Amino acid sequence: MLVVDIETTGLDTEKCSILSIGALCLEQINNTFYGECKIWDGADIYEEGLAINGFTKENIKDSKKQNEGELIFKFLKWLDQFDNKIIAGQHPMALDIPILKSACKRANIDYKFSHKTIDLHSLAYGYFLNKGIQIPLKEDGTSDISLDYIAKYFDLGEEPKPHNALNGAKYEAECFGQIIYNKKLGII
């Protein structure tokens, strides 16, 4: 299982750009990937997104950085070493997988990920129900199980701000380790 986190210029997977990708193999926790890229011309940029991930407008347009297609190509090359290419993360089907698909399309690269993923939120929801822990809800009645909530529950603290895709992947992996293996992996 590959734990993946992606930082972007916003949540619209067709109009926003990848800024960074962080990943690690849960079975080989020291085997990590991290890369950043400049945004593609015309990508939408949302101030709220930059405030969360800490990238600046100057940083995301840095001509010295690789482009999004080059980053995707390197990420896919890193993935080639693994037999198990199942992507895991906090809501991977909401942002990570769709933006990877869009980035591959923009770069004319064949998308080779499965539509099957492992969602940390879903595993944590089941874990909490099994332990008799009340599920935190937002005002609209939907789940409020965030990565920070899960990490705090397992005494991992909050993910450092600003966000970093590799730190995000490591925090997610630690939470997966607690739920799946009932132990801390020691990577954060």
Side-chain angles (χ1 to χ4, degrees):
M1 168 168 53
L2 301 164
V3 183
V4 177
D5 190 55
I6 299 177
E7 298 299 331
T8 67
T9 60
L11 299 177
D12 187 323
T13 60
E14 293 291 324
K15 296 180 180 178
C16 293
S17 180
I18 291 175
L19 299 174
S20 64
I21 300 173
L24 63 93
C25 177
L26 196 60
E27 291 79 26
Q28 303 170 28
I29 59 175
N30 293 319
N31 192 343
T32 63
F33 176 89
Y34 182 75
E36 294 182 9
C37 65
K38 62 185 172 188
I39 64 170
W40 49 273
D41 290 337
D44 285 356
I45 303 168
Y46 292 87
E47 296 294 332
E48 311 85 54
L50 297 183
I52 291 169
N53 58 43
F55 284 90
T56 65
K57 285 188 178 179
E58 295 77 28
N59 184 263
I60 66 176
K61 295 179 180 181
D62 184 349
S63 63
K64 295 177 189 141
K65 284 187 173 182
Q66 63 189 330
N67 66 42
E68 187 185 64
E70 292 168 325
L71 175 59
I72 291 293
F73 180 79
K74 288 177 182 173
F75 178 58
L76 294 175
K77 291 301 276 182
W78 177 78
L79 288 176
D80 282 343
Q81 67 186 300
F82 303 109
D83 293 329
N84 181 344
K85 293 180 177 61
I86 298 172
I87 301 293
Q90 178 76 343
H91 310 300
M93 290 304 289
L95 177 68
D96 302 309
I97 296 298
I99 203 153
L100 282 171
K101 284 182 179 179
S102 294
C104 285
K105 184 177 178 182
R106 283 190 290 272
N108 293 313
I109 296 172
D110 287 333
Y111 179 81
K112 62 181 184 178
F113 301 101
S114 169
H115 67 280
K116 296 177 182 177
T117 61
I118 300 171
D119 179 27
L120 179 59
H121 172 271
S122 297
L123 286 180
Y125 193 100
Y127 177 89
F128 293 144
L129 286 177
N130 188 43
K131 297 286 186 184
I133 298 166
Q134 185 171 351
I135 303 300
L137 300 175
K138 296 179 183 177
E139 286 184 21
D140 65 0
T142 60
S143 170
D144 198 19
I145 299 175
S146 65
L147 177 57
D148 281 340
Y149 181 87
I150 300 166
K152 279 183 188 179
Y153 176 81
F154 290 118
D155 294 323
L156 302 172
E158 287 187 14
E159 181 183 352
K161 308 290 189 278
H163 287 269
N164 170 291
L166 185 55
N167 284 343
K170 287 179 177 181
Y171 265 77
E172 292 165 21
E174 281 289 358
C175 292
F176 278 117
Q178 289 283 346
I179 293 169
I180 296 169
Y181 305 120
N182 197 31
K183 68 176 184 177
K184 288 186 179 181
L185 302 177
I187 55 176
I188 59 168

